[in-house]
Amino acid sequence: MFRIFSIFGNEFNFNAMARTKEFNEDQALDKAIEIFWHKGYNGTSAQDLVTHLGLSRSSLYDTFGDKQKLFVKSLKRYQQQNQESLIQLFENSENIKTTITEIFKQAVLESLQDRITKGCFMVNSAVELAMHDPEIAKIVHDNQKAVEDIFYNAVKKGQESGQISDKQEARSLARFIFNNYSGIRVLARAGENDKQVYDDILKAIFSLF
Amino acid sequence: MFRIFSIFGNEFNFNAMARTKEFNEDQALDKAIEIFWHKGYNGTSAQDLVTHLGLSRSSLYDTFGDKQKLFVKSLKRYQQQNQESLIQLFENSENIKTTITEIFKQAVLESLQDRITKGCFMVNSAVELAMHDPEIAKIVHDNQKAVEDIFYNAVKKGQESGQISDKQEARSLARFIFNNYSGIRVLARAGENDKQVYDDILKAIFSLF
DNA sequence: GTAATTACGGAACGATCGTTCCGTAATTAT
DNA sequence: ATAATTACGGAACGATCGTTCCGTAATTAC
């Protein structure tokens, strides 16, 4: 920090140093994502955060402000990470339809593998908080639009290259895909672990295009 | 209440009467459904319940046990009500596919009309609680199976009468329909109020069968 | 070293949580 | 009227909530 005081026309420069943080902020945020994802906002106590993040109450509050601010920062980070990996998947994709099926199959795999099925942090937050917290609502809505657009661009590209049937409008298909992705994540969160249920849904989805 | 005491071989019958409840238990449950649906389990305080149900703490606890028991009873009642109305819809249906579209259109209407969009109480509870409360998980899972079966029977009937294409397996289609219904309810809970988004999804869904 | 600043660990705060308890009201058979 | 029972209103409980505060540790320019 660097401060300048001016007293009676004389300037004094103070360049005082402070103790360095003993933890990495991004790593702490990743831990916060984990526990908020698992337990939800209301289900996660300040003590849970202290324990799971491994830093003291004061450090936690000094760094992130309060519980709501930490949650918002976690959710935004999660959003950004997922959005980037989604974009990358389509950038490296040779066949759009195959990539979309891979995305769904991956979601199903996660649902079946995870001993603790967490669903989707964004869907969970939407259901728990969007209605009562405008800031969360905006993040959820922005995410929806962003993901929808990523699917839209992918579908459009797929239709132009003939990989995807153009019987459905690209925008409609993108929204349809997003909707089914949400549904599957809810199913996972609800603890469904019968692979056949997911496979049946995927079969129906991908017979559409 | 009726009690029998036996003292030294003599039986004494006591038939003592008590004050009558000033509220209707089912009406109170409906109020509980409302507020739990709106605010979620963790978001609803005991004071919220007292205020919204209009009865005292003691009456509330005497009647329903505790908050979790009241929630379970509310969710079960909601499940039963919805299941019955769904069955009735298909019993009175002349065209299965039309009825299914009506169900979705109704969900969309509710999402757009409600000033406070509550989504679906079952979906909300699944996301918030199924993972941490086995009793809720069972209700959610039973509901999923029951609703899936209702759709399955309806689809099968529709396919036999030629109202629904039999290109899709009935079981697969039923699960697909359920999945999209969940998705739409999440969208509503997230506050989506652009009719075009819902219409696009419905268009895609119903082009499948 | 000293001064200045920030990080840390943990105690402590007031508020709210879900729940219990108590005194009184209501009800009806006796 | 009395006895027996349950319902009611509201105060009160201990526990936990999110948050703040304080004393000490660490860091670096001077």
Side-chain angles (χ1 to χ4, degrees), chain B residues 4-106:
Chain B
I4 301 177
F5 293 83
S6 180
I7 303 176
F8 299 127
N10 298 318
E11 285 194 349
F12 298 86
N13 292 359
F14 293 92
N15 199 348
M17 291 299 131
R19 187 170 167 179
T20 53
K21 277 191 204 299
E22 291 175 3
F23 65 95
N24 178 282
E25 197 170 317
D26 280 343
Q27 284 176 5
L29 268 182
D30 285 335
K31 295 266 192 185
I33 289 175
E34 275 182 14
I35 194 160
F36 278 135
W37 189 352
H38 178 50
K39 295 191 161 195
Y41 178 80
N42 285 308
T44 303
S45 68
Q47 185 54 50
D48 286 335
L49 290 166
V50 167
T51 303
H52 197 77
L53 272 63
L55 42 93
S56 68
R57 279 172 146 68
S58 50
S59 297
L60 204 155
Y61 276 82
D62 282 351
T63 308
F64 299 108
D66 59 23
K67 187 182 167 187
Q68 197 265 359
K69 288 198 183 78
L70 173 57
F71 187 88
V72 166
K73 210 160 187 174
S74 303
L75 188 58
K76 279 183 176 168
R77 181 173 168 84
Y78 173 85
Q79 201 280 330
Q80 199 172 336
Q81 288 173 344
N82 272 41
Q83 179 169 327
E84 278 169 13
S85 80
L86 203 56
I87 289 173
Q88 271 224 330
L89 274 175
F90 282 120
E91 270 179 2
N92 303 333
S93 165
E94 295 190 359
N95 184 302
I96 299 291
K97 182 163 180 178
T98 305
T99 300
I100 297 176
T101 63
E102 289 304 324
I103 289 168
F104 274 81
K105 280 181 182 170
Q106 182 60 31

Side-chain angles (χ1 to χ4, degrees), chain A residues 12-117:
Chain A
F12 299 85
N13 292 356
F14 293 92
N15 199 347
M17 291 301 131
R19 186 171 167 180
T20 54
K21 277 191 203 301
E22 293 174 2
F23 65 95
N24 179 282
E25 197 171 316
D26 281 342
Q27 284 176 6
L29 268 183
D30 285 335
K31 295 266 192 186
I33 289 175
E34 275 182 14
I35 193 160
F36 278 135
W37 190 350
H38 177 50
K39 294 191 162 196
Y41 179 81
N42 284 309
T44 304
S45 68
Q47 186 53 50
D48 286 335
L49 290 167
V50 167
T51 303
H52 196 78
L53 271 64
L55 42 92
S56 68
R57 279 172 146 67
S58 50
S59 297
L60 203 156
Y61 276 82
D62 282 352
T63 307
F64 299 109
D66 60 23
K67 187 182 168 186
Q68 198 266 359
K69 287 198 184 77
L70 174 56
F71 186 89
V72 165
K73 210 160 187 173
S74 302
L75 189 58
K76 280 183 176 170
R77 182 174 168 83
Y78 173 86
Q79 200 281 331
Q80 199 172 337
Q81 287 173 344
N82 273 41
Q83 178 167 328
E84 279 168 12
S85 79
L86 203 56
I87 289 173
Q88 270 222 330
L89 275 175
F90 283 120
E91 271 180 1
N92 302 335
S93 166
E94 294 189 0
N95 184 302
I96 298 292
K97 182 161 179 179
T98 304
T99 300
I100 297 177
T101 63
E102 289 303 324
I103 290 168
F104 274 81
K105 280 182 182 170
Q106 182 60 31
V108 171
L109 261 183
E110 280 172 21
S111 305
L112 294 174
Q113 279 178 348
D114 284 5
R115 206 169 45 73
I116 44 165
T117 48

Side-chain angles (χ1 to χ4, degrees), chain A residues 6 8 11 18 24 32 45 52 69 81-82 96 102 107 117-119 130 132 144 153 159 192 205:
Chain A
S6 179
F8 300 127
E11 286 193 350
N24 179 282
S45 68
H52 196 78
K69 287 198 184 77
Q81 287 173 344
N82 273 41
I96 298 292
E102 289 303 324
T117 48
K118 294 180 294 188
H132 305 286
Q144 184 205 316
N153 290 328
Q159 286 178 330
E192 178 60 68
I205 295 171

